[in-house]
């Protein structure tokens, strides 16, 4: 403070030349400040985002030499292996690939729309709506480890809640090893994702519905619209940008899904995904090249899918505005 | 509110939502009740109330399973990780929102592009990098949490954009430096953003499983999520489920209590984060 005050005093006597010097010095401290503030965040980004993505691309063209422990350029070998594995469904790569797209459908066509209906219903402030809003959000504050553990207690074969209920109702023949049966495992993991996934979307969509001007809804009510008409012609168009965000988030998430099948079924019984295959190859097999090729293919397909969905969502929005 | 539902629609909606809500809560009640039973009692009947509310399982969970250590490390990682994430996100956002310089817009778009790319695909080089740099431990975990260019930055960014620069100019005339303006004037004005970022980051880090499960290979240094998972895997051989139930209740109780107390703030924080993505 004192120094600055002194410098200012000096400026008064030395005239314009000193002012220039002073502003130069100010520019320098300003630039140093910008540099210091951004140094670590940018370094962190350069290492963990930029370098990792670039290196993944590089790895996808290399194979590990088991004797020297070095990665060697190998052209498209990894991609060839990957596509062969997908086509022949060896190590259930084909299933994993298919499941990733099933998840895309689940997130975009099932969880999104269900969440929209739920948030519409709750926007009517029906009895217990506060309780529902609070409870539906619980999966977002509890670790996925505990959530999947509790889910596996529900569906456990012997002391599980569902099988117990079925036995009590005399429906013994319906009891199953739900998460250990190829017929039910995948659908069970999907139901888990719906069960745990509505709360977050509901929060965001409810926020958007609450912002719709009251007058619009009131005048529509006076015109005698039905709930269905209100939902389709007022609610959906009004909150479409938010619904589009939710849908895009769901679509991107579909290409990252791996924890749910990993924690619920270890990726067995036909529940694996491409992302889980990447994790398995790195942590289990040590095939970094193949894992990276799968990662690159996943990113490209994810980008194309999200881009197309975004195009469609924008087109719908343009239609309404 | 618009048009109200007719009676039948309302009843159907209430029934479905009620079943859904119960399915979300009941498993914890079931776990809670069974956490007081002995193992044979649990196997003979999972639905009856426990013969006595003995705390044996809880004592065993605390003594035999490192629960206290898991909690200690979860608290450390969450506090440090959240603080660093908040500070670095605020720093980046402040400079990008308030200072004109070459590359400003470019850095911002890099940040956006960064969190749109799926991260799982890059696991192989990440794994190799962490192994080679000696970061395959809790320090590596903290370094990875200490980001300043994620969604948190975008939340801060939109707040700083709204704050008038005249406050800063007044402070500059009083002789304050750039950092003082940031720390003492601008950051306190973005208090709402700090609350949102703080709460959501803390919950995310506390609950994080994947990164810690890879990096925390030392059994003495593990977080609650990682520790519980290894307990669950062990149970498949020991079959002392009731102890696991007690551990689950111990791990969930603090979160649920905090959620009940701060429900509005937590939802608001997530709402802000969700919309800015």
């Amino acid at each position: 403070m004192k120094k600055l005050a002194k410098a200012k005093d000096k400026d008064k006597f030395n005239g314009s030349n000193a002012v220039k010097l002073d502003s130069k010095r100010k520019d320098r401290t300003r630039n140093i400040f910008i540099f210091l503030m951004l140094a670590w965040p940018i370094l962190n980004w350069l290492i963990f985002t930029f370098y990792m993505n670039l290196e993944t691309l590089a790895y996808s063209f290399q194979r590990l030499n088991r004797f020297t422990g070095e990665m060697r350029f190998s052209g498209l070998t990894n991609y060839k292996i990957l596509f062969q594995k997908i086509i022949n469904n060896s190590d259930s790569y084909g299933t994993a690939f298919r499941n990733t797209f099933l998840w895309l459908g689940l997130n975009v066509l099932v969880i999104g729309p269900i969440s929209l209906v739920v948030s519409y219903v709750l926007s009517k402030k029906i009895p217990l709506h506060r309780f529902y809003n609070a409870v539906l959000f619980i999966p977002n504050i509890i670790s996925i480890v505990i959530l999947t553990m509790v889910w596996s207690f529900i569906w456990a074969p012997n002391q599980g809640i569902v099988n117990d209920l079925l036995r009590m109702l005399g429906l013994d023949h319906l009891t199953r090893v739900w998460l250990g049966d190829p017929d039910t495992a995948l659908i069970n993991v999907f139901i888990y994702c719906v069960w745990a996934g509505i709360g977050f979307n509901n929060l965001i969509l409810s926020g958007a519905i609450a912002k719709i001007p009251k007058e619009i809804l009131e005048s529509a009510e006076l015109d005698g619209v039905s709930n269905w008409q209100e939902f389709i012609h007022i609610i959906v168009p009004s909150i479409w940008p938010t619904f589009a965000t939710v849908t895009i988030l769901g679509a991107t998430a579909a290409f990252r899904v791996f924890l749910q099948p990993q924690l619920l079924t270890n990726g067995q019984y036909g529940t694996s995904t491409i992302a889980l295959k990447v994790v398995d190859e790195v942590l289990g097999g040590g095939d970094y090249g193949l894992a990276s090729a799968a990662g690159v293919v996943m990113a490209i397909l994810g980008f194309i899918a999200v881009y197309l969905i975004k195009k469609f969502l924008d087109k719908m929005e343009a239609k309404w505005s | 509110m618009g048009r109200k539902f007719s009676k039948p629609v309302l009843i159907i909606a209430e029934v479905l939502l009620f079943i859904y809500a119960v399915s979300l809560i009941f498993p914890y009640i079931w776990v809670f009740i069974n956490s007081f039973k002995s193992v044979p009692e649990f196997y003979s009947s999972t639905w009856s109330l426990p013969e006595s509310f003995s705390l044996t399982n809880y004592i065993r969970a605390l003594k035999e399973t490192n629960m206290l250590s898991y909690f200690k490390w979860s608290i450390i990682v969450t506090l440090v990780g959240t603080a660093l994430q908040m500070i670095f996100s605020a720093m980046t956002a402040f400079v990008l929102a308030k200072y004109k310089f070459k590359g400003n817009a470019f850095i911002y778009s890099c940040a956006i592009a960064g969190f749109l790319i799926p991260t799982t695909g890059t696991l192989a080089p990440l794994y190799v990098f962490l192994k080679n740099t000696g970061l395959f431990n809790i320090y590596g975990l903290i370094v990875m949490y200490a980001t300043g260019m994620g969604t948190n930055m975008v939340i801060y960014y939109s707040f700083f954009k709204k704050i008038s620069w005249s406050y800063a100019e007044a402070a500059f005339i009083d002789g304050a430096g750039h950092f003082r303006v940031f720390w003492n004037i601008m950051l306190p004005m973005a208090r709402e953003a700090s609350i949102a970022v703080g709460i959501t980051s803390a919950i995310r880090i506390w609950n994080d499983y994947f990164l810690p499960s890879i990096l925390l290979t030392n059994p003495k240094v593990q977080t609650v999520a990682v520790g519980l998972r290894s307990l669950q895997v062990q149970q498949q051989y020991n079959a002392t489920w009731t102890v696991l139930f007690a551990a689950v209740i111990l791990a969930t109780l603090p979160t649920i209590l905090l959620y009940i107390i701060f429900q509005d703030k937590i939802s608001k924080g997530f709402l802000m984060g969700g919309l800015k993505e």
Side-chain angles (χ1 to χ4, degrees):
Chain A
M1 286 275 276
K2 265 189 184 169
K3 260 190 191 167
L4 255 170
K6 261 189 191 168
K8 264 186 195 160
D9 279 350
K10 257 190 193 167
D11 290 349
K12 273 184 199 160
F13 297 110
N14 293 351
S16 64
N17 208 18
V19 172
K20 245 184 211 164
L21 262 174
D22 195 44
S23 80
K24 237 185 193 173
R25 198 182 327 130
K26 266 188 190 159
D27 273 359
R28 241 187 67 189
T29 50
R30 181 178 175 274
N31 289 340
I32 290 173
F33 171 73
I34 292 173
F35 174 78
L36 288 177
M37 292 284 273
L38 293 178
W40 169 254
I42 288 182
L43 181 68
N44 183 292
W45 185 88
L46 281 176
I47 295 174
F48 292 107
T49 303
F50 185 71
Y51 168 77
M52 291 308 161
N53 278 296
L54 221 60
E55 193 74 344
T56 303
L57 195 62
Y59 270 28
S60 75
F61 297 109
Q62 297 169 4
R63 288 205 61 76
L64 187 71
N65 184 325
R66 299 251 176 213
F67 297 105
T68 59
E70 273 171 13
M71 298 292 286
R72 273 281 187 79
F73 181 76
S74 64
L76 291 171
T77 317
N78 288 317
Y79 291 95
K80 275 183 201 148
I81 296 174
L82 178 67
F83 288 120
Q84 265 161 12
K85 285 198 170 213
I86 290 173
I87 290 163
N88 302 329
N89 197 19
S90 48
D91 302 330
S92 64
Y93 261 82
T95 313
F97 187 80
R98 179 205 67 192
N99 287 350
T100 295
F101 282 90
L102 287 179
W103 242 288
L104 181 66
L106 180 80
N107 286 359
V108 171
L109 300 174
V110 180
I111 298 181
I114 291 182
S115 309
L116 185 58
V117 173
V118 167
S119 54
Y120 170 64
V121 170
L122 289 175
S123 77
K124 295 292 175 194
K125 306 217 184 319
I126 60 169
L128 292 178
H129 71 275
R130 274 172 197 283
F131 168 75
Y132 294 140
N133 272 323
V135 171
L136 261 53
F137 197 70
I138 288 178
N140 295 289
I141 54 151
I142 289 179
S143 172
I144 190 165
V145 171
I146 295 176
L147 278 176
T148 50
M149 205 186 292
V150 166
W151 184 258
S152 69
F153 296 155
I154 300 179
W155 301 93
N158 293 321
Q159 273 71 35
I161 297 174
V162 167
N163 276 357
D164 268 356
L165 283 173
L166 287 172
R167 281 189 209 105
M168 275 183 224
L169 294 169
L171 299 167
D172 291 55
H173 59 285
L174 288 180
T175 60
R176 279 168 179 275
V177 189
W178 299 98
L179 283 160
D181 182 335
D183 287 341
T184 53
L186 182 63
I187 194 83
N188 196 288
V189 179
F190 281 165
I191 296 171
Y192 166 86
C193 289
V194 178
W195 179 73
I198 290 178
F200 185 76
N201 295 342
N202 172 50
L203 176 81
I204 293 179
L205 294 169
S206 294
I209 292 178
K211 276 189 194 147
I212 299 175
K214 264 189 188 160
E215 302 82 58
I216 295 180
L217 294 174
E218 274 164 11
S219 69
E221 197 186 352
L222 287 177
D223 290 345
V225 294
S226 67
N227 283 122
W228 175 248
Q229 285 169 327
E230 183 188 57
F231 180 69
I232 288 295
H233 297 298
I234 300 174
I235 303 287
V236 173
S238 314
I239 65 158
W240 191 257
T242 310
F243 184 68
T245 312
V246 165
T247 306
I248 295 291
L249 285 179
T252 15
F255 288 89
R256 307 175 193 190
V257 168
F258 73 94
L259 273 176
Q260 292 85 339
Q262 189 192 38
L263 292 171
L264 286 170
T265 60
N266 260 322
Q268 287 174 301
Y269 316 112
T271 60
S272 196
T273 62
I274 293 280
L276 184 53
K277 279 288 153 204
V278 173
V279 174
D280 285 347
E281 287 297 349
V282 175
L283 301 184
D287 194 335
Y288 300 145
L290 182 60
S292 298
V296 171
V297 170
M298 189 173 80
I300 292 172
L301 290 175
F303 178 79
I304 294 172
V306 171
Y307 178 79
L308 291 176
I309 291 170
K310 175 113 179 65
K311 267 266 147 103
F312 172 77
L313 293 167
D314 288 348
K315 216 167 133 191
M316 295 295 280
E317 194 177 339
K319 214 175 85 182
W320 279 318
S321 57
Chain B
M1 281 200 1
R3 197 186 154 80
K4 284 210 174 82
F5 288 130
S6 61
K7 258 266 159 67
V9 174
L10 182 68
I11 290 171
I12 293 170
E14 284 283 350
V15 168
L16 289 178
L17 279 167
F18 195 77
I19 293 173
Y20 180 29
V22 166
S23 82
L24 284 164
I25 304 172
F26 179 72
Y28 297 99
I29 298 172
W30 184 89
V31 170
F32 182 72
I33 290 172
N34 284 307
S35 71
F36 294 103
K37 294 178 183 170
S38 67
V39 175
E41 198 189 341
F42 168 66
Y43 277 105
S44 69
S45 75
T46 47
W47 291 80
S48 61
L49 285 171
E51 282 163 14
S52 69
F53 281 89
S54 90
L55 293 174
T56 325
N57 292 322
Y58 287 85
I59 293 163
R60 280 186 66 187
L62 287 174
K63 272 194 181 154
E64 292 169 21
T65 66
N66 297 332
M67 271 306 275
L68 288 178
S69 151
Y70 299 155
F71 266 102
K72 184 181 88 185
W73 287 110
S74 271
I75 290 170
I76 291 174
V77 167
T78 305
L79 285 181
V80 177
T82 306
L84 292 177
Q85 224 166 73
M86 287 175 75
I87 293 168
F88 289 125
S89 304
M91 280 163 58
T92 315
F94 175 69
V95 171
L96 291 184
K98 290 299 182 198
Y99 288 79
K100 262 191 195 155
F101 60 92
K102 238 188 182 172
N104 184 319
F106 179 69
I107 294 173
Y108 188 81
S109 35
C110 278
I112 302 289
F115 58 73
L116 287 179
I117 300 171
T119 42
T120 329
T122 63
L123 185 63
L126 179 67
Y127 193 84
V128 174
F129 174 83
L130 292 168
K131 276 245 144 125
N132 291 344
T133 48
L135 286 172
F136 220 82
N137 47 39
I138 195 162
Y139 299 108
L141 189 63
I142 298 285
V143 167
M144 290 204 62
Y145 284 148
T147 53
M149 288 174 67
T151 44
N152 289 334
M153 186 275 281
V154 182
I155 297 177
Y156 269 119
Y157 184 87
S158 60
F159 263 83
F160 284 131
K161 271 278 173 204
K162 277 185 279 179
I163 299 174
S164 162
W165 190 240
S166 53
Y167 297 104
E169 270 162 2
F172 283 134
I173 289 168
D174 288 343
H178 292 278
F179 192 78
R180 273 260 307 273
V181 168
F182 164 66
W183 192 256
N184 290 350
I185 296 170
M186 289 302 192
L187 198 53
M189 289 178 85
R191 198 170 151 257
E192 249 182 279
S194 295
I195 293 173
V197 168
I199 289 176
T200 51
S201 306
I203 292 176
R204 216 177 299 133
I205 295 177
W206 179 273
N207 288 336
D208 195 15
Y209 167 71
F210 185 59
L211 266 185
S213 79
I214 298 177
L215 288 176
L216 304 181
T217 46
N218 181 352
K220 283 188 181 156
V221 184
Q222 296 206 320
T223 57
V224 174
V226 180
L228 270 184
R229 175 64 180 171
S230 51
L231 276 187
Q232 187 194 11
V233 175
Q234 279 168 33
Q235 289 314 309
Q236 286 162 2
Y237 307 102
N238 304 346
T240 46
W241 290 103
T242 51
V243 179
L244 181 64
F245 295 157
V248 167
I249 294 297
L250 285 174
T252 334
L253 216 55
T255 330
I256 293 284
L257 283 179
L258 286 175
Y259 179 58
I260 291 171
I261 300 169
F262 296 113
Q263 198 219 321
D264 282 350
K265 283 221 161 77
I266 292 176
S267 317
K268 232 192 210 168
F270 272 100
L271 190 56
M272 244 178 247
L275 284 181
K276 294 285 146 39
E277 266 178 75

